[in-house]
Amino acid sequence: MTTSNEGLADRGLTIEQVRTLRQTRGLSSAGIRAIPEPALARALRRLEYPDMPRARELFRRNQARDERGLFPTHALLGAARQLDSIRLRRAERAAVAGVPTGTTVAPQRLGIHPAPTAGLARPNWVSIGPGNIGGRTRSLVFHPQEPDTIWAASAGGGLWRTDNAGRTWQPVDDLMANLAVTSLAIDPTDPDVLYAGTGEGFFNVDAIRGAGLFRTVDGVTWSQLPATLGAPFATVNRIAVNATGEVLLAAGTGGLSRSADAGRTAWTKVLTAQIADVKCHPTDPDKAVAGSLRGGTAWVTADGGQTWTEAEHDTPWEGRVELAYATADPEIVYASVDIRNGEIWRSTDGGAGFTARTSLNGDGDPASYLGDQGWYGNVIWAGDPTDSDLVVVGGVDLWRSTDGGDTVNEMSTWWSRESAHADQHAIASHPNFDGDTNTTVLFGNDGGIYRAPDIRTVGDDPDLPKVNGWQNLNNDYGVTQFYSGAVNTEGTIIGGAQDNGTLAFHPPNGTDKWIEIFGGDGGFCASDPQDPDIFYGEYVFLNIHRNLDGATSDDTTGDRYISGQFWDAVNERWDFKPAPFTIADAKTQRAAFIAPFAVDPNDSDRMLAGGESLWRTNDVKAPNTPTSGPKWTRIKQPSASPGSPRPFNAISAISIAPGDSDRVWVGYEDGQVWHSDDGTDPAPLWQRVDGVGAAPLVTGRFCTQIALPAGQPDVVLATFGGYVANNVWRSDDGGTTWHSIGAGLPGAPARAITVHPRRQDFLYLGTELGLFASDDGGTTWSATNEGPTSCSVEDLIWSDETLICVTHGRGMFTIDLSGV
């Protein structure tokens, strides 16, 4: 085996770096030699953030907690039901503050629409995509008789469907549009019957986003199965239907449940362990296998799922277990086990006992195909009806074996845009797959949906990157999960996207022309208020980067970070500059996962950035080198939070008043709110305003945003998380007294609030359930949001009088409100 640094000296990497890259990213020696410098820098940068998906989960979870640190089961569903009742009571108004309202949200309003033809009108809300980026996709299923019809389960944007083999996609049903759809299964005896499970249970997105199981009996309209609202169905990782269509199995963090009645009204929990995967035998209705979520166990049943027996294997397993029947011989069952960065095991007795395969790469080393995220991205396929030794496994990348898992070779390359995206979750065979004339397979991952026209040859390039044959099917598949957005004076928009970096849209380009300007996870964004060439983005934990070319080029080296981190190209490693050129909280990661920063609207040389402390630079546009750059000063000390589960309390919101740079407000994850009236001083004075005074602001929940409307120096608006009431607050006297303006809104996290640039009483509120509007300063709110979407609205920004709605699951939408 090649376990040394041999052949890699030209990359300047240490033996430890090589070992770590192999184990965490599944890179072979050839892969490490071939990876370009920017991608290598990204891979090594990621090593400093070893638990990114769980950090995302904690961030979203903190935003959902109430003041006691709790959130109820099925809270999102309860809030949606409140919304439905509000719609029925207040359906008489056609529009509020220029935003269309109605009793329902028309599904056609939620997709990506082409520009109007011959002057024909289009909906007031207009999707601007991205139509070419996609987002995390947990499941795919073909219609068995009409293979051009495919359903896709998006973790952030609900359920989608194509009827033209992926050339275009449309959302299916708004009832599910705001849910994390994680699993799909079609009845093999009736293709009009399809089941969808909701709620991710892989410890990366909050389980409250689930609402049990949904079913369609006509392939079009969906309804919830009421019996699946209990705790066992809080998250549904996988579902499976047996060969006769009689038995339905649902696996998740609540165990494995079984239903055998036609109405799916009776359920029995048959396994209590947390389950990642369940698969039914392709022809025998009595047989099925299941794999644990993190306990390292596989089970097998021979009585239709009523009783289960633990599978045997020579050495102990641990972690997540994914399973696949070999279509060519279902007595062969393969397991992808999250142990030692990924191992393939095989059973020849239907899953009763497993033996290890060697799982070696082309170097003769362990392939480590799962990297360090096998608990998050882990999938296995053996669907060729002519060859039981053809196996595909996926973790970070996709790997193919032609000898039953003894040797595996890369067939995708995460750092190439011409290959499949990273982090694999789903594999689906074309229903006419015969191993000869049809060898088409689809893949779902963090970047959306990809097609391999020939599973045997896709990615068979002699050298890296592995790009041969890959087809991107993110054609209007608008499920990108944004955290933030910004727009410049020329109308160019950028957004920080989960798993998909910082993205840019340049009108009048089409919605399929978004580009990536910085890789990795994206976070907060900002634009220079005067110079259209300058944008700012964030990786995670307050690592701020700067773009100086109008958001037209990708990250090439580490010289874009202005938070102090830089890429030491000589020593092939990341480092931080000395003070004052580094934000100390970014270096120590003592900041929120998605940490706020703000460019002063009155002085574009000034930026404030929030970690544990509040930081300021007055030269944010200073030239950036490995030894210099913007100079940062701490202007607010940490604010402790007694009883906090973390060792620090992170700033979560920052606002600088238009027209008055001294007026600065900050909010915290625990609900604290502070302000200063001398924010430009070397040592500003700060006053805490929550919980004090005659009419106090009291929430104790995550402060998501503070808005200081232009032209209203005494008005302060603040929004908070939690599935409870009173998440929107207003002060009309500069923060001395407060009153809740959330009456009539469903109890769900409020994430963003803004005021019409010309109409001071017109407010727009982004929530976990979509957008709401008020035309009386927040006294009353619209009953519904007829578009743009029913998923979470993270940010609201203005381009003149066009409102841009930034969502976490459906991309971005715009609406022209200049006529109100």
Side-chain angles (χ1 to χ4, degrees):
M1 292 186 183
T2 11
T3 56
S4 70
N5 198 23
E6 182 182 352
L8 298 174
D10 57 322
R11 297 313 305 257
L13 299 174
T14 67
I15 293 175
E16 182 59 32
Q17 284 176 317
V18 171
R19 182 182 298 114
T20 303
L21 286 170
R22 285 173 173 161
Q23 291 175 348
T24 62
R25 303 302 287 172
L27 289 172
S28 62
S29 296
I32 297 174
R33 279 191 291 268
I35 189 171
E37 184 85 356
L40 176 63
R42 284 174 57 188
L44 292 174
R45 178 185 63 192
R46 185 193 170 282
L47 299 182
E48 301 177 10
Y49 309 94
D51 219 2
M52 291 269 284
R54 286 194 176 100
R56 285 190 216 115
E57 183 270 341
L58 179 62
F59 175 72
R60 301 295 288 182
R61 185 179 293 266
N62 284 342
Q63 291 181 321
R65 296 181 189 275
D66 63 20
E67 56 272 23
R68 298 169 299 167
L70 305 173
F71 44 83
T73 303
H74 300 305
L76 184 62
L77 183 63
R81 286 176 171 169
Q82 292 178 35
L83 177 58
D84 286 340
S85 65
I86 294 169
R87 286 172 173 164
L88 293 175
R89 294 197 307 267
R90 302 185 190 169
E92 66 275 6
R93 300 189 66 182
V96 175
V99 176
T101 62
T103 57
T104 62
V105 180
Q108 64 268 26
R109 297 282 179 93
L110 308 182
I112 294 176
H113 300 279
T117 303
L120 296 178
R122 58 185 172 187
N124 287 333
W125 282 107
V126 178
S127 173
I128 57 172
N132 60 320
I133 301 297
R136 187 166 67 258
T137 301
R138 283 285 185 188
S139 188
L140 296 161
V141 65
F142 282 87
H143 190 291
Q145 298 169 358
E146 300 171 13
D148 285 350
T149 294
I150 310 164
W151 289 271
S154 157
L159 184 60
W160 289 65
R161 171 176 169 156
T162 177
D163 292 308
N164 55 19
R167 289 192 296 275
T168 58
W169 294 84
Q170 288 290 334
V172 169
D173 191 318
D174 188 55
L175 180 63
M176 300 175 64
N178 56 5
L179 299 177
V181 182
T182 58
S183 47
L184 298 168
I186 200 162
D187 187 328
T189 66
D190 186 349
D192 286 334
V193 177
L194 182 65
Y195 298 91
T198 65
E200 280 190 296
F202 297 101
F203 310 110
N204 59 292
V205 171
D206 195 347
I208 59 175
R209 292 176 61 80
L213 293 174
F214 290 75
R215 177 175 64 176
T216 178
V217 295
D218 59 9
V220 178
T221 57
W222 291 78
S223 60
Q224 190 181 49
L225 296 176
T228 64
L229 283 177
F233 305 95
T235 64
V236 182
N237 294 331
R238 293 286 164 76
I239 49 181
V241 186
N242 75 345
T244 61
E246 177 186 3
V247 174
L248 176 63
L249 299 170
T253 54
L256 182 65
S257 296
R258 176 184 185 272
S259 176
D261 68 292
R264 306 304 181 197
T265 59
W267 289 84
T268 303
K269 183 182 287 192
V270 292
L271 285 174
T272 58
Q274 296 181 331
I275 306 297
D277 190 23
V278 61
K279 299 284 171 56
C280 287
H281 190 285
T283 58
D284 188 333
D286 291 330
K287 295 180 179 179
V289 290
S292 68
L293 185 57
R294 52 186 177 182
T297 306
W299 294 268
V300 61
T301 181
D303 59 6
Q306 298 179 74
T307 60
W308 294 78
T309 302
E310 190 171 320
E312 297 179 352
H313 34 85
D314 294 338
T315 59
W317 289 357
E318 59 186 37
R320 179 174 161 188
V321 178
E322 290 288 316
L323 300 157
Y325 281 100
T327 303
D329 180 2
E331 282 299 296
I332 296 175
V333 179
Y334 287 97
S336 173
V337 185
D338 184 20
I339 184 171
R340 290 177 286 274
N341 306 108
E343 290 185 356
I344 300 171
W345 289 64
R346 184 171 68 177
S347 169
T348 57
D349 55 9
F354 287 84
T355 56
R357 309 299 284 174
T358 56
S359 306
L360 300 179
N361 63 20
D363 297 334
D365 294 323
S368 298
Y369 62 89
L370 292 179
D372 59 353
Q373 289 188 185
W375 58 270
Y376 172 68
N378 185 353
V379 68
I380 188 165
W381 174 92
D384 190 326
T386 66
D387 187 353
S388 62
D389 285 332
L390 178 60
V391 183
V392 174
V393 290
V396 178
D397 274 320
L398 290 158
W399 298 67
R400 179 174 47 227
S401 174
T402 57
D403 59 8
D406 274 337
T407 57
V408 290
N409 294 289
E410 298 137 298
M411 52 187 282
S412 71
T413 305
W414 61 266
W415 48 261
S416 172
R417 292 175 183 167
E418 304 303 314
S419 189
H421 197 279
D423 298 328
Q424 312 305 318
H425 305 300
I427 306 178
S429 306
H430 192 285
N432 297 331
F433 189 111
D434 58 10
D436 181 18
T437 61
N438 187 314
T439 53
T440 298
V441 179
L442 297 190
F443 296 85
N445 50 45
D446 275 3
I449 305 168
Y450 290 78
R451 181 175 183 264
D454 187 345
I455 192 62
R456 291 181 173 274
T457 61
V458 66
D460 64 354
D461 312 65
D463 300 306
L464 271 68
K466 301 291 187 175
V467 301
N468 180 54
W470 283 111
Q471 298 175 356
N472 186 326
L473 290 191
N474 294 316
N475 303 314
D476 297 348
Y477 184 53
V479 299
T480 304
Q481 295 171 286
F482 284 110
Y483 289 113
S484 175
V487 60
N488 70 2
T489 56
E490 296 181 349
T492 297
I493 299 168
I494 70 168
Q498 180 172 312
D499 303 319
N500 285 287
T502 301
L503 307 174
F505 175 62
H506 296 267
N509 291 346
T511 60
D512 61 345
K513 296 296 190 297
W514 285 70
I515 63 171
E516 181 182 283
I517 62 170
F518 202 90
D521 272 45
F524 260 78
C525 296
S527 62
D528 188 293
Q530 282 88 39
D531 189 337
D533 286 336
I534 301 178
F535 284 98
Y536 302 92
E538 176 191 35
Y539 181 46
V540 291
F541 298 114
L542 203 57
N543 223 345
I544 303 170
H545 50 81
R546 184 179 66 191
N547 179 281
L548 299 175
D549 61 12
T552 59
S553 66
D554 192 1
D555 171 40
T556 54
T557 62
D559 61 3
R560 287 191 175 178
Y561 281 123
I562 59 170
S563 50
Q565 191 172 43
F566 72 97
W567 174 245
D568 182 348
V570 175
N571 297 306
E572 298 277 14
R573 64 186 178 91
W574 288 99
D575 204 347
F576 275 87
K577 306 171 193 177
F581 305 113
T582 284
I583 302 175
D585 292 345
K587 181 177 180 179
T588 60
Q589 300 179 30
R590 292 177 76 89
F593 180 72
I594 304 297
F597 62 86
V599 175
D600 189 334
N602 317 296
D603 183 351
S604 61
D605 286 323
R606 183 178 297 116
M607 175 184 284
L608 302 184
E612 179 181 28
S613 302
L614 184 66
W615 299 84
R616 180 179 64 203
T617 178
N618 293 319
D619 60 350
V620 72
K621 291 183 276 191
N624 204 32
T625 75
T627 58
S628 65
K631 296 182 287 293
W632 295 93
T633 303
R634 190 194 315 263
I635 63 169
K636 186 179 187 302
Q637 295 295 323
S639 181
S641 179
S644 172
R646 298 204 300 179
F648 64 92
N649 188 23
I651 292 172
S652 55
I654 302 172
S655 189
I656 305 169
D660 187 356
S661 299
D662 281 321
R663 189 166 160 245
V664 178
W665 286 72
V666 294
Y668 286 81
E669 288 186 330
D670 72 343
Q672 293 185 38
V673 176
W674 296 69
H675 81 97
S676 174
D677 290 327
D678 58 358
T680 62
D681 281 7
L685 298 176
W686 294 91
Q687 179 181 358
R688 184 172 174 178
V689 301
D690 64 290
V692 299
L697 166 65
V698 181
T699 69
R701 302 187 292 277
F702 192 113
C703 181
T704 52
Q705 195 173 79
I706 299 173
L708 306 174
Q712 302 181 76
D714 294 327
V715 175
V716 186
L717 303 169
T719 58
F720 296 86
Y723 282 90
V724 293
N726 299 319
N727 281 330
V728 191
W729 290 75
R730 177 178 179 133
S731 173
D732 292 301
D733 54 13
T736 302
T737 61
W738 295 82
H739 59 282
S740 171
I741 58 171
L745 291 169
R751 301 191 180 278
I753 192 166
T754 190
V755 181
H756 191 285
R758 183 171 37 83
R759 304 289 299 270
Q760 294 184 350
D761 285 339
F762 283 18
L763 306 185
Y764 306 89
L765 177 70
T767 77
E768 186 75 18
L769 291 168
L771 182 136
F772 297 83
S774 172
D775 54 14
D776 53 17
T779 302
T780 60
W781 292 90
S782 58
T784 185
N785 51 305
E786 178 67 5
T789 170
S790 286
C791 76
S792 180
V793 174
E794 301 288 301
D795 202 1
L796 296 167
I797 55 179
W798 292 95
S799 179
D800 296 324
E801 293 190 8
T802 293
L803 180 62
I804 302 168
C805 181
V806 181
T807 80
H808 193 73
R810 288 291 180 85
M812 295 192 193
F813 297 78
T814 66
I815 188 169
D816 184 353
L817 296 174
S818 61
V820 301

